[in-house]
Amino acid sequence: TAAILKEEVYKRMPWACGADGGAVLPVTTDPLEAILNRTWRPTLSVVGAEGFPEFANAGNVLRPYSAFKLSLRIPPLLDGNAAALQLKALLEDNAPYNARVSF
């Protein structure tokens, strides 16, 4: 697939405008690596957050709580339930500063 699509793998992406007015650069220009990054490699993203003040009112203060909505992309052959259990254990076990973390 990479040999056929070549640079179309990353050039067709809707890149944001960079600091200099040009397009933001891709992580890789290697077509094979780009395909692997978009399909087989796992990714954890924060897609939402709660408990934070508005940007204009933000400051260096302690908050009573924070909540995050996460999106986890797993490789196609990985068991989703097993991955969810492992992520739960990673997030809940040994929370820093005795924080209460729930998944």
Side-chain angles (χ1 to χ4, degrees):
T1 303
I4 293 168
L5 295 176
K6 299 184 174 113
E7 59 192 27
E8 285 297 309
V9 173
Y10 61 89
K11 284 199 170 181
R12 290 185 59 206
M13 300 300 286
W15 298 104
C17 184
D20 64 357
V24 174
L25 300 175
V27 174
T28 182
T29 56
D30 178 330
L32 177 59
E33 290 298 311
I35 289 172
L36 290 172
N37 287 345
R38 288 177 46 194
T39 57
W40 281 87
R41 296 205 171 113
T43 301
L44 178 63
S45 302
V46 175
V47 295
E50 243 179 56
F52 292 86
E54 294 290 328
F55 184 78
N57 300 324
N60 188 13
V61 297
L62 297 175
R63 295 176 308 280
Y65 81 98
S66 298
F68 296 95
K69 184 173 187 176
L70 304 175
S71 172
L72 179 65
R73 181 179 68 207
I74 58 174
L77 301 178
L78 187 69
D79 180 281
N81 291 328
L85 290 173
Q86 181 66 32
L87 182 60
K88 177 179 172 56
L90 287 169
L91 293 174
E92 290 183 343
D93 294 351
N94 300 317
Y97 310 109
N98 201 31
R100 185 181 64 201
V101 177
S102 61
F103 179 84

